[in-house]
Amino acid sequence: MPKNNGGKSVSQMRIHTYSRDEILRKLELSQRQILIFSRDLARVYRAEKATRRLLQIVHQKLRAIVDSMSDGMLAIDERLFVSDVNKTFERVFNLSQDKLKGMPLAQVFSVPGLQEKLRYMQEKKLRFASLEWQPEKSVEQFYQVNISEIQGQKKENKGYVLLFRDITERKRLERLKSRFVTFASHEIRTPLHGLIGFLNLIYENLQNRLNDEEKHHFRLLIESGENLRCIIEEMLQVSTLKDDSTLMNLKEISVQELLQTVLKRISFNANAVGVEISLVGEDVALFVDHQLIAKAIESILKSIIGYANYETSIQIHSTKEMETCKITLFCKNIHFDDTDPDVFGDNQSSMDTQICGRNRMWNLGFPLAEEIIQWHHGSIKVEKQKDKNSLFVVINFPISSN
């Protein structure tokens, strides 16, 4: 007699038989389950269809935004193959998306230094970078290429987006500004040197025959000429700079060391008017161009000293708040005169006013300082309290070297 795998004969096995009613009930239950599954599947399908329709609308809107951009846009994948371009890129560089899409970037669009920059970003895992590019065929055309990384859900690299911004006009204005400043400074500096020399010569010859008031006036003229010469030198120095970290000598430096350097520079000016300056607070490491930042803080302090007297005191306090270094200048007993220009105001027009303080302190002051601080992604805020004759200057710098 045949046997199954369990060793029992077929006749010994219990065979369960279903009645007709049981079979009908099971069929009815199966039909209900199939109906429920069908309804759920239809609901999921409708939701998926609505989501796809919404995504399609969003994609069309984003496509319209990208194509209406004034900057040329080129997207590449993690292999550095072209995946997309916008209409501006096609028009400016006379290249169609059909010829570019799916092709290696180095093969279809060559920008000197771009491949090296992308490889460097991949090695260092940088998210943003930029470079300037001048096409070989166009002598007067300049572009700034801003590169941004595309990240996946797990922060993995999915490629890059490149924006090509035409900076030709900005370059032209920079050249004009530099030429104007150089020319104007030279035309002013040449006669100024002669004027200062003649004043010194006249003063040396006549000082024995001058009374104290006349000597004071002569010294005021000479010192004013020297301060004007310093302004011209600062103008020449700043005119060669721009907001570009590649042109700044960025190094890590202690904020206390930086402030000590500034205090040594302005000690003569402070002592001349009897201003007491103290330095307190914690030490913080900054990643900045210390020469430029020292020049900015020096300009601020010189501007304040221009409104100081023998009762004036300045306390410089440095603290670390989150990822920011905060430098606070608290000035007491500052003499404000309504006839003086509002160089310490909070509005932008006052910040753009060239400082011409009394007490022979002429310098570029706050406009220069604000510009340099902004180059370092910092901020400056000024609060003046005339009723208390006090002044607060708060400077913030990001601590991160990135």
Side-chain angles (χ1 to χ4, degrees):
M1 181 178 290
K3 295 182 178 181
N4 62 358
N5 292 334
K8 295 181 180 181
S9 64
V10 176
S11 62
Q12 293 175 327
M13 294 178 61
R14 179 179 294 179
I15 301 175
H16 183 78
T17 59
Y18 293 96
S19 65
R20 183 174 179 276
D21 293 337
E22 288 178 329
I23 294 173
L24 290 175
R25 281 197 301 270
K26 288 185 177 293
L27 286 174
E28 184 180 358
L29 180 61
S30 299
Q31 289 175 351
R32 288 178 183 177
Q33 290 177 340
I34 292 172
L35 183 61
I36 293 172
F37 292 152
S38 300
R39 289 173 180 174
D40 291 341
L41 184 61
R43 190 182 303 112
V44 171
Y45 173 75
R46 287 194 299 269
E48 181 69 19
K49 188 176 181 180
T51 302
R52 287 179 177 273
R53 189 183 301 113
L54 179 62
L55 288 175
Q56 186 177 9
I57 294 173
V58 172
H59 174 75
Q60 291 173 351
K61 290 180 178 179
L62 290 176
R63 184 77 250 180
I65 292 173
V66 169
D67 286 337
S68 64
M69 291 168 53
S70 59
D71 297 341
M73 187 278 294
L74 182 144
I76 55 177
D77 58 23
E78 65 274 14
R79 302 172 302 155
L80 306 186
F81 279 56
V82 179
S83 59
D84 196 8
V85 297
N86 69 350
K87 297 294 184 183
T88 305
F89 186 93
E90 291 181 308
R91 185 185 71 254
V92 172
F93 300 107
N94 196 23
L95 294 169
S96 66
Q97 183 171 179
D98 296 335
K99 294 182 179 179
L100 294 173
K101 199 169 183 178
M103 298 295 292
L105 177 64
Q107 181 177 333
V108 295
F109 192 73
S110 177
V111 175
L114 180 58
Q115 296 290 328
E116 292 78 4
K117 179 73 73 173
L118 291 170
R119 283 195 291 268
Y120 180 78
M121 290 180 67
Q122 289 177 332
E123 292 173 3
K124 301 297 182 180
K125 296 182 178 180
L126 300 178
R127 294 203 60 195
F128 306 101
S130 65
L131 58 88
E132 288 188 2
W133 169 51
Q134 182 181 10
E136 295 180 357
K137 298 180 180 179
S138 179
V139 180
E140 295 297 329
Q141 202 77 15
F142 292 89
Y143 291 93
Q144 180 175 322
V145 185
N146 297 314
I147 311 169
S148 301
E149 183 190 29
I150 304 172
Q151 289 189 343
Q153 293 183 351
K154 297 181 180 180
K155 304 297 184 180
E156 73 276 16
N157 180 279
K158 289 293 185 179
Y160 299 93
V161 172
L162 285 67
L163 293 181
F164 293 79
R165 175 164 297 178
D166 192 338
I167 58 171
T168 306
E169 184 65 17
R170 192 187 78 185
K171 284 285 188 180
R172 187 183 69 83
L173 292 175
E174 285 178 358
R175 288 196 300 269
L176 288 175
K177 182 196 73 173
S178 179
R179 291 172 184 173
F180 170 77
V181 171
T182 303
F183 175 77
S185 300
H186 174 76
E187 293 300 314
I188 297 173
R189 187 168 47 179
T190 301
L192 184 61
H193 279 300
L195 180 61
I196 295 173
F198 279 118
L199 281 173
N200 280 305
L201 181 62
I202 294 172
Y203 179 69
E204 289 177 2
N205 293 333
L206 297 179
Q207 61 178 336
N208 295 329
R209 289 179 279 175
L210 299 174
N211 57 37
D212 292 341
E213 183 178 0
E214 290 171 337
K215 289 180 180 179
H216 173 74
H217 289 157
F218 255 103
R219 286 195 296 270
L220 178 61
L221 286 171
I222 294 172
E223 290 176 11
S224 297
E226 290 292 342
N227 283 314
L228 183 57
R229 183 184 60 81
C230 290
I231 290 178
I232 296 170
E233 295 296 335
E234 288 180 349
M235 287 175 60
L236 284 172
Q237 179 184 3
V238 174
S239 66
T240 59
L241 299 172
K242 64 177 181 178
D243 181 12
D244 190 343
S245 59
T246 60
L247 300 180
M248 293 192 292
N249 186 20
L250 298 173
K251 293 181 180 179
E252 189 173 83
I253 187 172
S254 158
V255 67
Q256 291 288 320
E257 180 184 349
L258 178 68
L259 294 173
Q260 289 285 0
T261 302
V262 175
L263 293 184
K264 289 180 181 178
R265 291 184 184 178
I266 65 165
S267 59
F268 176 80
N269 305 111
N271 294 333
V273 292
V275 175
E276 180 183 349
I277 303 178
S278 59
L279 178 60
V280 295
E282 59 182 314
D283 203 2
V284 184
L286 291 177
F287 194 76
V288 296
D289 187 322
H290 66 280
Q291 292 184 351
L292 283 177
I293 295 300
K295 171 64 69 177
I297 299 175
E298 178 187 352
S299 298
I300 294 172
L301 287 172
K302 282 185 176 181
S303 301
I304 295 172
I305 291 172
Y307 285 79
N309 52 53
Y310 282 97
E311 298 179 351
T312 301
S313 64
I314 303 174
Q315 185 183 79
I316 306 176
H317 190 261
S318 62
T319 56
K320 179 181 179 182
E321 297 183 359
M322 300 296 287
E323 292 299 318
T324 302
C325 175
K326 182 178 180 180
I327 302 174
T328 305
L329 279 63
F330 177 46
C331 315
K332 293 182 180 179
N333 298 319
I334 297 289
H335 178 69
F336 297 110
D337 192 336
D338 293 335
T339 61
D340 291 322
D342 187 17
V343 296
F344 300 112
D346 292 332
N347 55 62
Q348 184 64 33
S349 61
S350 65
M351 296 295 280
D352 292 336
T353 303
Q354 182 173 344
I355 291 174
C356 195
R358 302 170 324 230
N359 298 336
R360 304 178 300 281
M361 292 297 143
W362 291 24
N363 56 81
L364 293 180
F366 274 72
L368 170 64
E370 183 188 33
E371 194 79 11
I372 293 175
I373 291 169
Q374 288 178 352
W375 290 349
H376 291 79
H377 306 287
S379 63
I380 178 171
K381 183 179 179 181
V382 182
E383 181 181 347
K384 180 173 61 175
Q385 297 178 344
K386 282 190 175 182
D387 55 338
K388 297 181 181 180
N389 288 333
S390 61
L391 181 74
F392 291 90
V393 180
V394 181
I395 307 170
N396 290 300
F397 289 108
I399 296 176
S400 173
S401 61
N402 292 330

